[in-house]
């Protein structure tokens, strides 16, 4: 009996359940070593599938972790950009205030000139 025909007989009669039963009931039969080998290979295949699933799951977790790190980095960069923008806005607001004060002084001096108040003040100063 060769391996291929033994495995075909085991599969035809119920697979693993048959192999377990046959090996337990007929320890001296020529098919028994093939039954043990068949059961061993099936167990190895299951273990490989579980390992493959575990490795795939681990890879997905690592990928998710990397995505989270990238998102955190992008968030940190956005916060830094917002801080820089706020600082520039404060600086701009300060200089806008200075310009508004200078403009208001210019308007006041211009109004004083137009109303003749400076001539009157010059006349009082003499």
């Amino acid at each position: 009996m060769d391996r291929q025909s033994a495995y075909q007989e085991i599969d035809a009669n119920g697979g693993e359940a048959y192999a377990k039963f046959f090996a337990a009931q007929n320890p001296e039969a020529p098919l028994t070593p093939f039954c043990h080998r068949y059961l061993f290979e099936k167990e190895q295949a299951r273990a490989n599938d579980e390992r493959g699933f575990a490795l795939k799951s681990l890879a997905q977790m690592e990928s998710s972790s990397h995505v989270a790190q990238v998102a955190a980095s992008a968030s940190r960069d956005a916060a830094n950009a917002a801080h820089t923008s706020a600082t520039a806005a404060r600086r701009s607001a300060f200089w806008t205030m200075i310009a508004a004060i200078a403009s208001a002084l210019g308007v006041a001096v211009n109004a004083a000139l137009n109303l003749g108040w400076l001539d009157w003040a010059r006349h009082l100063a003499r």
Side-chain angles (χ1 to χ4, degrees), residues 16 40-60:
E16 291 182 56
F40 174 77
E41 288 177 5
K42 290 293 183 179
E43 185 61 35
Q44 287 298 101
R46 255 193 307 277
N48 286 339
D49 289 346
E50 289 172 4
R51 261 186 301 237
F53 177 75
L55 289 174
K56 184 177 178 184
S57 177
L58 179 62
Q60 287 176 342

Side-chain angles (χ1 to χ4, degrees), residues 40-101:
F40 174 77
E41 288 177 5
K42 290 293 183 179
E43 185 61 35
Q44 287 298 101
R46 255 193 307 277
N48 286 339
D49 289 346
E50 289 172 4
R51 261 186 301 237
F53 177 75
L55 289 174
K56 184 177 178 184
S57 177
L58 179 62
Q60 287 176 342
M61 288 182 350
E62 287 175 350
S63 176
S64 295
S65 172
H66 180 68
V67 168
Q69 288 173 352
V70 168
S73 178
S75 179
R76 186 172 43 254
D77 291 346
N80 288 338
H83 181 266
T84 302
S85 177
T87 302
R90 262 193 307 279
R91 200 174 306 122
S92 176
F94 172 77
W95 289 112
T96 301
M97 180 187 67
I98 297 298
I101 291 170

